Amino acid sequence: MGPIGVFDSGLGGLTVLRALLRRLPAEDFVYFGDTARVPYGTKGARTVREFARQDAAFLQGLGVKMIVVACNTAAAFALETLQAQFPLPVLGVIEPGVSAALARTRGGRIGVIGTSGTIRSGRYQEALAAAVGAPRVVARECPLLVPLAEEGLTNHPLTEMAIAHYLLPLRQAGVDTLILGCTHYPLLKPAISRFMEPETVLVDSAEELAESAARRLGELGLQRPASAAAAPASRLEFWLSDVPWQFAEIGARFLGRPIEAARQVNLDEVEQAGRLVRHGRERA
Ligand code: DGL
């Protein structure tokens, strides 16, 4: 009955934690943000896979009962590897986002936006194309949107310009459903909504993931018991591999509430946790 472990390349995954807290208020959570090595979205598959393994191993060492990969890029490159390597349920954001988009599309085209890594991995496109056919899927990498969201420029002309630049081809292609395939994009939802046609449905993968985490906990009988749920506050713990300058401000914006305290862990500890998992598997 440990906490649920949630990790991301940095602070963006706090939007996923926010959705998880809303959906599972009685659960305990431990969040790890790899702020020393963010961004993952510009890095190659091997690097991201290795970082993700270390992040998950660090959380496993803290005694979590489930691991949520709250980073689209890490989920795109590493989800299956993590599921094979860890003896815990490991959930990612891609599959829930794809299912929600397929359930909501009205037969038009489906768009997906994300980091360069997420889009170049082709994971969203493959899953969507298998259901609706490749010509009905339009994908676009939007690298500038992550820093704009972090800077808090959610309703700024710079962001409006970047959104227009990236999303025009999707609007022109007539997408009726758009997957926000990056942890930072929920903050840009109003600006994205204003740019797209009014009837375009935006799929927030954070909310969809929270739904599937709740389902999975139920199926596995891993929910925190009702007596524990009646206890005053669930435990919320934050670990970071670096504390960025604007941590408190950005963190609160992403999580939707202030973060009381965050602990810092040295990268060599995170790397060491990853090595232990690898060696453990080699011995097994
Ligand atoms: N968390 C990443 C994602 O959802 C965005 C930030 C990054 O590039 O690391 O893909």
Side-chain angles (χ1 to χ4, degrees), residues 1-7 28-32 55-68 86-90 217 222 235 237 239:
M1 279 302 140
I4 297 175
V6 180
F7 81 83
D28 295 329
F29 291 93
V30 182
Y31 181 89
F32 173 60
D55 301 344
F58 174 69
L59 285 173
Q60 187 186 26
L62 297 176
V64 302
K65 63 180 171 186
M66 169 184 267
I67 292 175
V68 171
F86 288 83
L88 296 168
V90 185
L217 285 176
L222 284 176
R235 187 159 63 92
E237 202 175 287
W239 289 86

Side-chain angles (χ1 to χ4, degrees), residues 23-158:
R23 182 65 185 79
L24 296 163
E27 295 292 335
D28 295 329
F29 291 93
V30 182
Y31 181 89
F32 173 60
D34 192 9
T35 34
R37 301 187 292 198
V38 72
Y40 285 7
T42 53
K43 297 188 171 76
R46 253 181 74 184
T47 306
V48 173
R49 212 170 285 133
E50 179 59 26
F51 287 176
R53 191 160 56 79
Q54 295 170 2
D55 301 344
F58 174 69
L59 285 173
Q60 187 186 26
L62 297 176
V64 302
K65 63 180 171 186
M66 169 184 267
I67 292 175
V68 171
V69 185
C71 173
N72 285 262
T73 312
F77 286 129
L79 185 69
E80 282 78 15
T81 317
L82 298 180
Q83 286 171 334
Q85 285 180 340
F86 288 83
L88 296 168
V90 185
L91 271 66
V93 267
I94 294 184
E95 199 269 322
V98 167
S99 310
L102 292 174
R104 289 182 206 168
T105 183
R106 297 173 303 278
R109 293 210 159 97
I110 302 178
V112 56
I113 52 175
T115 64
S116 301
T118 299
I119 298 305
R120 285 166 196 239
S121 77
R123 298 310 301 273
Y124 272 110
Q125 298 93 308
E126 280 161 23
L128 291 167
V132 298
R136 288 194 21 221
V137 180
V138 190
R140 191 92 210 252
E141 56 194 89
C142 309
L144 285 177
L145 298 189
V146 165
L148 288 167
E150 292 219 348
E151 286 297 321
L153 302 176
T154 44
N155 287 306
H156 193 276
L158 278 173

Side-chain angles (χ1 to χ4, degrees), residues 68 70 78 102 106 114 144 174 177 184 204-206 266:
V68 171
L102 292 174
R106 297 173 303 278
L144 285 177
T177 307
H184 289 61
D204 178 344
S205 47
N266 287 333

Side-chain angles (χ1 to χ4, degrees), residues 143-255:
L144 285 177
L145 298 189
V146 165
L148 288 167
E150 292 219 348
E151 286 297 321
L153 302 176
T154 44
N155 287 306
H156 193 276
L158 278 173
T159 308
E160 310 266 340
M161 277 174 72
I163 287 176
H165 167 70
Y166 290 131
L167 299 193
L168 186 62
L170 286 99
R171 194 172 78 180
Q172 284 173 337
V175 304
D176 72 357
T177 307
L178 176 62
I179 302 178
L180 307 181
C182 174
T183 50
H184 289 61
Y185 300 171
L187 272 85
L188 304 175
K189 225 170 170 178
I192 293 174
S193 228
R194 277 195 300 276
F195 180 76
M196 297 303 287
E197 300 297 344
E199 61 279 7
T200 309
V201 176
L202 302 187
V203 173
D204 178 344
S205 47
E207 279 162 24
E208 307 307 334
L209 174 110
E211 244 352 280
S212 76
R215 229 184 357 259
R216 216 33 211 292
L217 285 176
E219 285 161 10
L220 299 169
L222 284 176
Q223 306 105 315
R224 202 162 171 238
S227 54
S234 55
R235 187 159 63 92
L236 201 50
E237 202 175 287
F238 298 93
W239 289 86
L240 301 174
S241 51
D242 180 56
V243 182
W245 294 119
Q246 289 179 296
F247 162 68
E249 202 185 312
I250 302 173
R253 199 182 306 133
F254 280 50
L255 187 62

